[in-house]
Amino acid sequence: MDDSSPQTIFLKDYTPSNFLIDTVSLDVNLHPTATRVHSRLEIRPNPDAATRSTALVLDGEDLELDEVRLDGRKLDDSDFTRTDSTLTIPGVPDGPFELEITTYCNPETNKALSGLYRSRNIFCTQCEAQGFRRITYFLDRPDVLAIYTTRLQADKEMAPVLLANGNLIESGKNSSSGTHFAVWEDPHPKPGYLFAMVGGNLVCVADTFTTLSGREVDLHIYVEPGEEDRCAWAMESLKRSMKWDEERFGREYDLDVFMIVAVSDFNMGAMENKGLNVFNDKLILARPETATDADYAAIEAVIAHEYFHNWTGNRVTCRDWFQLCLKEGLTVYRDQEFTSDLRSRAVERISDVRMLKTHQFPEDGGPLAHPVRPQSYIEINNFYTATVYEKGAELCRMIETMVGREGFRSAMDLYFVRHDGDAATVEDFISCIAEATQTDLDQFMTWYSQAGTPEVVASLSYNAKERIAELSLSQVTPATPGQVKKRPLHMPIKLGLLGPNGDDLPLRLENGDDIPDGLIHLRATEQTYRFTNVSSPPVPSLLRGFSAPVKLTVNLSETDLEFLMAKDSDLFNRWQAGQNYALRVLTSATAGFGNGEEPAPASSFIGALAATLRDETLEPAYRAEVLKLPSESDIAREIGQNINPDAIHSAREWLRAELSRALHRELEELYETNSVPGPYSPEAEDAGKRALRNAALALLAALGDESGINRVREHFDAAANMTDKITALGVLTHLEGSARETVFDDFYEQWKDDHLVIDKWFALQAISSLEDAPSRVVMLRKHPLFSLKAPNKVRALIGAFANMNPTGFNRADGAGYELVADVVLEIDKFNPQISARLLGTFKSWRMLEPERKAKAKSALEHISSNNNLSRDLFEIVTKTLD
Ligand code: 0A1
Ligand code: ZN
């Protein structure tokens, strides 16, 4: 931990900076262990500051200070003071002045991967949220926006490519020294967190894009030599993103060049630095033999996400880090819309909701619950969460549902006009929506400040005599840590009432009002709607398209669910009905396994599922989603307490085996008819067929018998792309026997030189439900290709184990918890962001049955008893145990 004890920062304490920085000129001499940074800042007092002060306090971390000059005069040591995290000059002029600071930093030893570091031999930077202060002393806060010029210099052999934000204005060789330089200028004011520079031996894959207004933009993707043939999809995705943002939001790109650099060591997925995005290379590099359909889809979505930040995040940035959802929620919403427009809207919605429920709901229901706009934090890096990103996106989606697509667009137009170049707040955004669309969003604002997933209970009753269907809705949000009292939220509920043949009935209220687009607004704790002229008992389809991020309980019978599975005009709800039905079967089977009882037959569920699978009007990708049973963590969430992961696993495996037996013929047919001949294409249509075929294959092998295993082996041997290979490995990893060992060994031999493919090999072993998974993970930690210093490796092996192996991680003897806790402590010594994130996997520990709960608690206490924890890990472990 830092010498000071961790401090809590509060939103309510926000004050504007006392000083502003107008321009930044950086002169950087890249060196592996001693990079020299000379920074010249034009500073002036902030006219909007709450108080006048002549003490300038700059942020700085892990910097070696060489000299400071104020208006050209070198300052003595007595002219300033320093702590571990600040440089204070007590007496600066009360008008504009120029400050020059020369510092050194050490990229080679920087394993926190924040600031300037080396990924293999590439120099690169990561400045969000507070990495710029590890490059130079600065007012490192998002509301200080400056224009940057960056001059980079390096040995030409070591770093033949030198990049920074903006447009290249000059480059050349320095005659004698073997060094060269490049000067980059970014005309758009930006906060320090959007700064980036890169130097190294990189090759450039180039293309161009002509904007709507006819400007030609260079598109450059930089990768390590030898990877050039893996960039085509990333480039295609970039061009699609640029076009989509012009068409859907009227946003054009604003520099002469857009650059992406792929690096192997990166704490997150990617970063939207102005004009110079830096990406985790797994989200750029793809060839059919090395990348799966899921990888291709992720590349397309993340490239879009980072590109869309150019307007939502960069041109309009955040006033402070509490406003993170302003850029992240909105940009996730935009990338989800992009994928929906390019691929299948229903399938995208299903996958986004799956993601929300898997990652965000447990966060909202656990010790780390926080509002979409948190009110306090100890370490901001801990708040790049599913709540800020995914739930933040849901808030934007609810707004769009309420104001309509056109209304949303006009509000966004106003937002860009009004706030271009600003560091804005959530209130600024909401005001634009309210003004442009004349919508009252006062009550809606509570979504930003209230944590927890609201629970909505709905019941429908029918009065045959009066021909009235009465729908009652109630809402309650459970208490979350530090927030006991909750207020009712304003939530858009999309609904339909299905008549006997499945058609949507007209929705007319008793007072004669129609309900346009089937949209009602739940605002009160309880609300009732009486629909008239209903001639027979209808089946309600509620929360269509998952119109609000809530847990919904409805009084539906199994026959109703079956009916919705077959007839609902809303494809999302059709899928949801199947999942709800499956959850009923699975929770009761889990209870049975817990008591040593045989589960009741599931034939009516299986019949309903089969009918959907046979429906050729539904696209294959959609049917593949229907075929996926709720995950073990979905079942655990549904049960909610006293969780025994082994019983859940047995129940789910039992239902898979039942499906395998009962639908054998159908599954075989799906497997045969959905093969995709010809050259591989990552586009949605082919990927959808592969998804359905591979889901069928996995179920066919669910009995673990010899014929199933042989079929999977044949599939592996015949596979011409990574999607099919991985499917086979994903099945075999759970099946004891020689097939598993042979296939994993073959795969290793073939791919041991490919760092990205090897991550898949690590992950697939980590998720095995076989007894030996924890000991295998311990063994693989020692594998020569594994490194705790490489975040992708940690995520592949340890992250996959903790997140995707519920029986292994939650082993009754506590071996899983100990293993992860060990790694967390080890990593915390050099990379707090990764250690803290990994510990987040303990967030649902209180839901477990008592024995496991005790084991998890003691692993957490082991961590918290350590008094050298980083601020990041301290915050997570303290809150998790609280
Ligand atoms: N803004 C990026 C995510 C990101 C956040 C923090 C990072 O380092 C601590 C890196 C990337 C995005 O939303 O894609
Ligand atoms: Zn983002």
Side-chain angles (χ1 to χ4, degrees):
M1 208 187 306
D2 293 340
D3 43 0
S4 54
S5 69
Q7 272 190 354
T8 302
I9 321 272
F10 294 92
L11 166 61
K12 64 177 167 47
D13 293 342
Y14 170 83
T15 50
S17 171
N18 285 332
F19 294 91
L20 296 177
I21 302 177
D22 293 320
T23 65
V24 180
S25 304
L26 294 173
D27 191 344
V28 180
N29 195 358
L30 289 175
H31 183 280
T33 57
T35 289
R36 178 180 173 277
V37 178
H38 175 266
S39 141
R40 187 171 347 103
L41 309 174
E42 283 178 1
I43 306 184
R44 65 187 157 96
N46 183 358
D48 297 331
T51 53
R52 254 351 224 174
S53 164
T54 55
L56 173 69
V57 186
L58 300 177
D59 307 296
E61 241 174 52
D62 277 355
L63 296 172
E64 193 187 308
L65 181 63
D66 184 30
E67 69 164 40
V68 186
R69 287 178 182 270
L70 203 161
D71 284 332
R73 182 178 73 86
K74 182 170 182 312
L75 299 189
D76 290 334
D77 283 0
S78 59
D79 292 330
F80 55 82
T81 55
R82 287 209 298 155
T83 68
D84 273 359
S85 56
T86 57
L87 168 73
T88 302
I89 308 173
V92 295
D94 69 357
F97 61 95
E98 184 185 89
L99 193 67
E100 287 170 272
I101 306 173
T102 310
T103 50
Y104 288 86
C105 60
N106 187 339
E108 196 71 62
T109 57
N110 178 0
K111 299 299 175 198
L113 314 190
S114 162
L116 176 66
Y117 67 96
R118 284 190 109 188
S119 168
R120 307 214 219 184
N121 280 330
I122 316 277
F123 290 89
C124 66
T125 55
Q126 172 53 41
C127 293
E128 186 174 7
Q130 298 178 330
F132 194 59
R133 64 186 64 184
R134 294 162 61 85
I135 297 173
T136 181
Y137 283 104
F138 201 67
L139 291 174
D140 192 4
R141 42 186 291 167
D143 59 352
V144 171
L145 281 75
I147 292 183
Y148 286 64
T149 307
T150 309
R151 184 182 194 280
L152 289 168
Q153 177 171 300
D155 182 278
K156 197 164 170 42
E157 286 270 291
M158 175 185 70
V161 171
L162 297 172
L163 311 172
N165 314 89
N167 300 316
L168 180 67
I169 55 167
E170 201 190 336
S171 65
K173 274 201 200 115
N174 297 320
S175 44
S176 59
S177 59
T179 61
H180 71 142
F181 69 92
V183 183
W184 293 83
E185 198 176 70
D186 180 2
H188 300 282
K190 65 168 176 287
Y193 86 84
L194 289 172
F195 172 81
M197 59 184 173
V198 169
N201 183 16
L202 295 161
V203 285
C204 176
V205 174
D207 205 331
T208 59
F209 179 83
T210 306
T211 68
L212 208 57
S213 65
R215 273 188 322 107
E216 191 169 280
V217 177
D218 284 323
L219 309 178
H220 292 168
I221 300 183
Y222 290 90
V223 294
E224 290 186 37
E227 312 278 31
E228 304 86 307
D229 64 340
R230 294 216 254 177
C231 301
W233 180 249
M235 187 64 89
E236 178 60 31
S237 303
L238 176 58
K239 290 190 281 186
R240 289 178 187 184
S241 308
M242 296 177 85
K243 184 158 179 286
W244 183 87
D245 213 13
E246 292 183 341
E247 287 170 357
R248 178 82 188 265
F249 282 100
R251 297 295 110 200
E252 269 194 32
Y253 186 61
D254 53 7
L255 288 166
D256 301 341
V257 58
F258 185 83
M259 296 175 282
I260 292 178
V261 179
V263 299
S264 299
D265 299 323
F266 200 71
N267 279 347
M268 308 278 269
M271 178 63 209
E272 70 263 23
N273 318 300
K274 183 77 190 188
L276 178 56
N277 287 189
V278 175
F279 269 65
N280 187 323
D281 59 1
K282 70 180 276 197
L283 290 164
I284 293 293
L285 304 176
R287 272 192 290 125
E289 310 81 65
T290 63
T292 61
D293 290 332
D295 294 329
Y296 276 93
I299 289 170
E300 185 180 76
V302 178
I303 292 215
H305 179 94
E306 305 310 329
Y307 176 75
F308 298 156
H309 267 314
N310 192 52
W311 277 94
T312 48
N314 300 5
R315 289 289 287 255
V316 184
T317 194
C318 300
R319 187 192 71 174
D320 55 75
W321 289 119
F322 293 102
Q323 319 295 329
L324 187 58
C325 66
L326 177 67
K327 74 177 178 84
E328 295 305 346
L330 182 54
T331 305
V332 170
Y333 166 72
R334 274 153 50 71
D335 82 53
Q336 291 176 348
E337 280 300 291
F338 165 78
T339 307
S340 305
D341 284 348
L342 262 68
R343 295 178 174 231
S344 152
R345 186 160 283 272
V347 172
E348 173 65 9
R349 191 65 188 134
I350 290 167
S351 107
D352 293 338
V353 172
R354 243 192 235 285
M355 169 95 154
L356 184 83
K357 290 188 176 175
T358 309
H359 298 287
Q360 199 278 327
F361 278 22
E363 198 165 87
D364 242 353
L368 301 176
H370 55 275
V372 169
R373 179 168 63 179
Q375 275 127 28
S376 69
Y377 61 76
I378 292 179
E379 171 53 61
I380 184 56
N381 286 323
N382 286 333
F383 285 81
Y384 288 81
T385 59
T387 298
V388 171
Y389 275 65
E390 265 69 41
K391 189 173 177 182
E394 291 301 317
L395 304 198
C396 295
R397 181 173 303 283
M398 281 193 282
I399 292 172
E400 200 239 40
T401 301
M402 295 191 292
V403 305
R405 165 119 25 132
E406 279 173 25
F408 194 79
R409 167 67 196 267
S410 64
M412 289 300 292
D413 289 348
L414 176 63
Y415 178 65
F416 293 127
V417 167
R418 190 178 282 176
H419 293 292
D420 188 8
D422 278 358
T425 61
V426 168
E427 283 77 7
D428 292 331
F429 172 68
I430 294 293
S431 299
C432 290
I433 313 266
E435 274 180 52
T437 64
Q438 297 298 303
T439 307
D440 177 357
L441 291 170
D442 288 356
Q443 188 187 357
F444 187 83
M445 280 303 287
T446 306
W447 280 103
Y448 286 95
S449 56
Q450 188 163 286
T453 306
E455 293 169 2
V456 174
V457 177
S459 74
L460 188 85
S461 58
Y462 178 67
N463 182 329
K465 216 164 95 212
E466 292 181 53
R467 295 166 39 108
I468 281 190
E470 184 175 291
L471 176 69
S472 306
L473 295 170
S474 67
Q475 60 162 309
V476 59
T477 303
T480 52
Q483 234 185 23
V484 177
K485 279 229 169 79
K486 304 284 184 180
R487 283 175 291 167
L489 293 152
H490 173 188
M491 46 183 86
I493 309 272
K494 284 206 126 196
L495 67 104
L497 295 181
L498 276 67
N501 58 5
D503 291 345
D504 285 322
L505 303 174
L507 299 174
R508 171 148 308 165
L509 295 174
E510 250 177 340
N511 64 4
D513 282 357
D514 284 327
I515 298 200
D517 302 325
L519 176 66
I520 58 178
H521 295 259
L522 178 60
R523 290 190 173 88
T525 308
E526 287 182 13
Q527 247 163 266
T528 301
Y529 296 85
R530 285 166 61 85
F531 300 100
T532 54
N533 213 6
V534 184
S535 52
S536 60
V539 177
S541 167
L542 300 175
L543 208 66
R544 283 184 159 172
F546 204 65
S547 60
V550 302
K551 280 182 196 151
L552 173 70
T553 310
V554 202
N555 62 337
L556 293 176
S557 67
E558 293 183 352
T559 320
D560 292 338
L561 289 173
E562 194 172 334
F563 185 68
L564 291 172
M565 280 174 79
K567 304 283 188 188
D568 200 326
S569 62
D570 184 80
L571 282 181
F572 176 84
N573 265 12
R574 240 176 120 168
W575 167 82
Q576 184 68 66
Q579 295 289 300
N580 290 347
Y581 200 163
L583 278 171
R584 283 195 193 182
V585 175
L586 288 162
T587 49
S588 96
T590 302
F593 277 102
N595 303 327
E597 292 159 13
E598 268 296 295
S603 41
S604 41
F605 166 71
I606 294 174
L609 193 72
T612 315
L613 290 181
R614 280 193 288 265
D615 186 343
E616 297 274 337
T617 63
L618 300 168
E619 60 185 321
Y622 179 87
R623 282 184 281 153
E625 293 297 337
V626 171
L627 204 45
K628 278 186 218 152
L629 290 180
S631 69
E632 290 174 28
S633 61
D634 291 336
I635 305 166
R637 244 189 359 265
E638 185 71 14
I639 298 171
Q641 54 180 342
N642 202 18
I643 298 300
N644 175 350
D646 291 337
I648 291 177
H649 180 73
S650 304
R652 192 170 182 276
E653 286 309 300
W654 159 79
L655 187 54
R656 291 184 68 239
E658 292 286 294
L659 284 168
S660 186
R661 266 188 287 269
L663 301 180
H664 192 85
R665 217 171 28 80
E666 281 90 341
L667 293 170
E668 274 192 329
E669 196 181 317
L670 286 176
Y671 185 76
E672 298 309 331
T673 53
N674 284 285
S675 74
V676 190
Y680 174 88
S681 154
E683 303 288 354
E685 196 180 331
D686 281 7
K689 283 189 177 171
R690 279 188 290 272
L692 183 54
R693 181 169 194 253
N694 286 333
L697 174 74
L699 273 183
L700 281 167
L703 298 173
D705 59 356
E706 207 179 313
S707 81
I709 294 180
N710 287 341
R711 192 192 296 268
V712 177
R713 274 218 62 164
E714 280 163 28
H715 185 84
F716 181 84
D717 292 336
N721 59 66
M722 187 52 84
T723 307
D724 290 340
K725 290 263 184 224
I726 289 290
T727 300
L729 289 178
V731 173
L732 291 174
T733 192
H734 303 293
L735 301 175
E736 208 128 23
S738 61
R740 175 197 195 219
E741 305 306 322
T742 321
V743 163
F744 272 86
D745 289 350
D746 289 355
F747 189 82
Y748 178 79
E749 276 312 311
Q750 189 180 355
W751 294 110
K752 58 179 183 292
D753 296 325
D754 189 305
H755 66 286
L756 291 178
V757 180
I758 280 304
D759 288 350
K760 300 181 191 301
W761 180 81
F762 279 119
L764 283 160
Q765 295 178 82
I767 63 167
S768 169
S769 54
L770 296 179
E771 187 65 19
D772 68 347
S775 53
R776 222 170 239 259
V777 172
V778 170
M779 193 181 71
L780 287 169
R781 238 191 95 173
K782 308 265 166 354
H783 193 281
L785 293 180
F786 183 78
S787 164
L788 285 182
K789 299 263 159 69
N792 281 357
K793 293 280 174 286
V794 174
R795 284 184 281 253
L797 185 64
I798 317 295
F801 175 71
N803 282 307
M804 288 154 67
N805 190 342
T807 47
F809 178 54
N810 298 297
R811 243 179 53 164
D813 63 2
Y817 306 136
E818 279 166 34
L819 179 174
V820 175
D822 248 28
V823 172
V824 164
L825 280 175
E826 198 54 42
I827 296 178
D828 197 49
K829 294 174 190 158
F830 54 87
N831 192 337
Q833 283 181 35
I834 299 294
S835 60
R837 193 163 281 267
L838 193 53
L839 194 69
T841 54
F842 280 80
K843 63 178 169 291
S844 299
W845 71 279
R846 281 184 204 277
M847 278 170 45
L848 295 161
E849 50 81 20
E851 211 177 304
R852 286 177 172 85
K853 204 193 290 190
K855 293 274 197 288
K857 187 170 185 214
S858 87
L860 286 164
E861 283 169 346
H862 172 59
I863 291 180
S864 78
S865 67
N866 192 306
N867 46 22
N868 275 319
L869 300 183
S870 67
R871 195 168 55 215
D872 311 50
L873 187 57
F874 171 85
E875 179 171 33
I876 300 293
V877 76
T878 312
K879 290 182 174 170
T880 306
L881 273 170
D882 243 4

